[in-house]
Amino acid sequence: MPIPSDVATPLKSLDYFKQAYGLRVDDLKSQREAGKKVVGTFCLFVPDEIIYAAGADRVVLCGGKEDTISIGEQYLPRNVCPLIKSSLGSIVSSCCGEAAACPHFGQVDAVIGEATCDGKKKMYELLPRFIPTYVIDLPQKPDTKAALQYYLSELGEFSEYIEQLTGNLITEERLREEIVSANEMRRLMKRLFEYRKRSASPITGLEVLQVTQRQFFLSQEQLKTGVSRLCDELETCTTGHSGPRIMISGCPISAGNVKVPSIIEERGAVIVVEESCTGTRAFDELVDESKPPMEALAERYLKIPCSCMTPNDRRIERILSLAKEYKVDGVVHYTLQSCHSYNIERYRVQQALREAGLPMLAIETDYSASDVEQIRVRVDAFLEMIS
Ligand code: BJ8
């Protein structure tokens, strides 16, 4: 079944994002030749503002490609989440001069990891034989005062590491500038998502993913230009996509992997919001520009409602409020195989949605095509139920 659409022409401004990636890789190469350091990250808990304030650049290395999983499995057990296996496989492949990984993997001087899930923590222990690696520790109970103090001290140590890597001091002024710039970007993303609240969203979930996945590779300037153009185009767009309104909530949908959102929209629904790190979690909260910058960063980043935190009530509250704001008809809880924290949290999400009278479909999957038909059948049944 085709995506129901009254849109006469595809969104032209999305072409910018398709072209920007190649330009970005060339730019990273020339920046590194000129002495700039580039770091690779895996998680929203690593504040970009600190990296940019030290004069470094960053790309996110979360792997969404299936091709590099078999390389990752040479080092990791098979029953580890595909994102971790694909990421490690991409790093190994790019360090060994093979071509299986996306080109940005080969453009990093160091990896900045974070102590979130067990799989990633242990994967970071394998990285130093391929690439210099630094890991930021994280408190697990984010709402305590001690957690804030601890994370603040970890960010302080991380700042020292990145200063040493780049040879540049992070001044308070530079940090403030980067906070203002990152907030500007977050506001732009909020503006983009606002258009999806229309009764017929002028943009599909798959189109939004072209932006939210690429936000992790492009430069801040590229992203601002691209999202501004897209918002301007959407502002004047008078047509849109109709069908059951779906929220996706759960694990990130990394670039290279759009299996589940493709099936949802191919079967006639419209994804109107994603409660995930490739969705609202990346831009929901602004950094308080009136506070001392490092404290403001620590406060903002600790609010990210990741399932690695306990208790993670903030995520449940956010799902319920997003469901209202975007008038969703149903939620697809999307998890990757062996992602214990999101798979376990599914029960609480389902209970909360049930109490709110909202139907939920749980899909646990990997990057292979082996379950496509089965997911199609389940999505069809779900859409029929909520239509
Ligand atoms: S803030 S969601 S980016 S940790 S899917 S690797 S959790 S086993 S990616 Fe994440 Fe940061 Fe949280 Fe966001 Fe582990 Fe789960 Fe795999 Fe995951």
Side-chain angles (χ1 to χ4, degrees):
M1 193 194 297
I3 297 170
S5 171
D6 307 320
V7 179
T9 49
L11 293 162
K12 285 201 174 60
S13 43
L14 285 173
D15 291 344
Y16 177 87
F17 291 93
K18 287 177 199 148
Q19 289 147 10
Y21 179 68
L23 296 172
R24 171 68 164 154
V25 172
D26 292 344
D27 186 46
L28 284 172
K29 277 186 199 155
S30 46
Q31 281 195 65
R32 288 181 81 211
E33 279 161 17
K36 190 160 186 155
K37 297 293 180 192
V38 179
V39 298
T41 63
F42 285 90
C43 178
L44 294 184
F45 280 109
V46 179
D48 291 339
E49 290 92 333
I50 296 176
I51 297 168
Y52 296 141
D57 206 336
R58 79 95 176 93
V59 281
V60 175
L61 302 179
C62 288
K65 282 184 94 178
E66 198 194 356
D67 316 10
T68 54
I69 285 186
S70 58
I71 306 172
E73 283 176 349
Q74 292 169 24
Y75 303 84
L76 297 165
R78 294 192 71 188
N79 60 347
V80 165
C81 115
L83 189 153
I84 296 173
K85 290 188 291 189
S86 170
S87 302
L88 178 65
S90 291
I91 289 172
V92 173
S93 148
S94 61
C95 289
C96 300
E98 293 166 13
C102 298
H104 64 275
F105 276 83
Q107 295 307 319
V108 299
D109 296 290
V111 161
I112 312 298
E114 78 308 316
T116 46
C117 67
D118 286 351
K120 278 205 284 183
K121 274 188 291 201
K122 301 314 278 183
M123 185 266 278
Y124 296 142
E125 291 175 9
L126 305 181
L127 286 187
R129 61 183 282 204
F130 302 104
I131 187 157
T133 303
Y134 181 92
V135 178
I136 301 175
D137 196 11
L138 287 178
Q140 308 272 290
K141 290 170 69 180
D143 295 323
T144 62
K145 215 173 168 185
L148 186 65
Q149 286 311 314
Y150 183 65
Y151 185 46
L152 197 52
S153 71
E154 279 295 300
L155 291 187
E157 281 184 33
F158 168 53
S159 301
E160 284 170 24
Y161 170 82
I162 199 100
E163 283 177 341
Q164 273 174 17
L165 182 77
T166 59
N168 299 324
L169 268 186
I170 299 174
T171 63
E172 193 168 312
E173 192 191 354
R174 283 291 298 116
L175 209 46
R176 283 190 191 281
E177 284 169 5
E178 291 304 335
I179 287 172
V180 170
S181 171
N183 275 347
E184 205 180 296
M185 190 59 245
R186 293 181 183 112
R187 286 192 194 94
L188 267 174
M189 293 299 285
K190 281 174 193 277
R191 183 181 162 205
L192 170 60
F193 272 52
E194 277 297 308
Y195 297 110
R196 307 172 81 188
K197 292 181 181 170
R198 290 182 186 166
S199 56
S201 172
I203 185 163
T204 65
L206 277 176
E207 287 171 330
V208 170
L209 262 184
Q210 291 181 37
V211 180
T212 51
Q213 289 184 333
R214 286 188 172 96
Q215 73 182 309
F216 298 123
F217 314 138
L218 303 186
S219 71
Q220 289 285 289
E221 283 325 301
Q222 281 181 311
L223 196 58
K224 280 179 191 167
T225 305
V227 178
S228 296
R229 286 184 191 175
L230 179 57
C231 287
D232 290 345
E233 188 176 355
L234 294 173
E235 183 76 41
T236 54
C237 188
T238 52
T239 51
H241 304 265
S242 48
R245 298 171 68 84
I246 299 296
M247 178 199 310
I248 293 193
S249 173
C251 294
I253 301 179
S254 301
N257 160 44
V258 289
K259 178 171 66 179
V260 171
S262 299
I263 294 173
I264 293 170
E265 295 202 321
E266 159 207 302
R267 308 315 279 177
V270 189
I271 299 162
V272 291
V273 63
E274 300 83 11
E275 187 282 316
S276 75
C277 291
T278 37
T280 55
R281 271 182 236 145
F283 58 80
D284 246 354
E285 298 275 346
L286 299 182
V287 179
D288 188 338
E289 295 174 20
S290 68
K291 290 191 171 172
M294 209 50 106
E295 278 173 48
L297 284 173
E299 277 178 14
R300 186 267 170 198
Y301 279 83
L302 264 194
K303 286 185 195 152
I304 296 167
C306 172
S307 63
C308 296
M309 296 291 167
T310 186
N312 193 23
D313 298 343
R314 206 174 266 123
R315 175 167 174 235
I316 310 279
E317 287 157 18
R318 197 65 193 116
I319 291 171
L320 294 177
S321 70
L322 288 171
K324 266 192 197 156
E325 281 173 44
Y326 288 81
K327 298 192 172 60
V328 308
D329 299 309
V331 175
V332 173
H333 194 265
Y334 169 85
T335 51
L336 292 173
Q337 278 169 10
S338 307
C339 174
H340 300 319
S341 58
Y342 279 99
N343 279 321
I344 293 171
E345 209 162 87
R346 174 176 65 204
Y347 182 81
R348 286 196 65 203
V349 173
Q350 182 134 37
Q351 290 296 105
L353 288 171
R354 192 169 288 154
E355 279 165 28
L358 268 170
M360 183 186 108
L361 172 69
I363 297 179
E364 182 185 349
T365 185
D366 59 10
Y367 294 170
S368 76
S370 61
D371 56 0
V372 165
E373 275 314 315
Q374 187 209 49
I375 294 174
R376 276 197 185 122
V377 170
R378 295 186 63 218
V379 166
D380 280 346
F382 183 65
L383 295 182
E384 201 180 314
M385 182 184 88
I386 65 176
S387 293

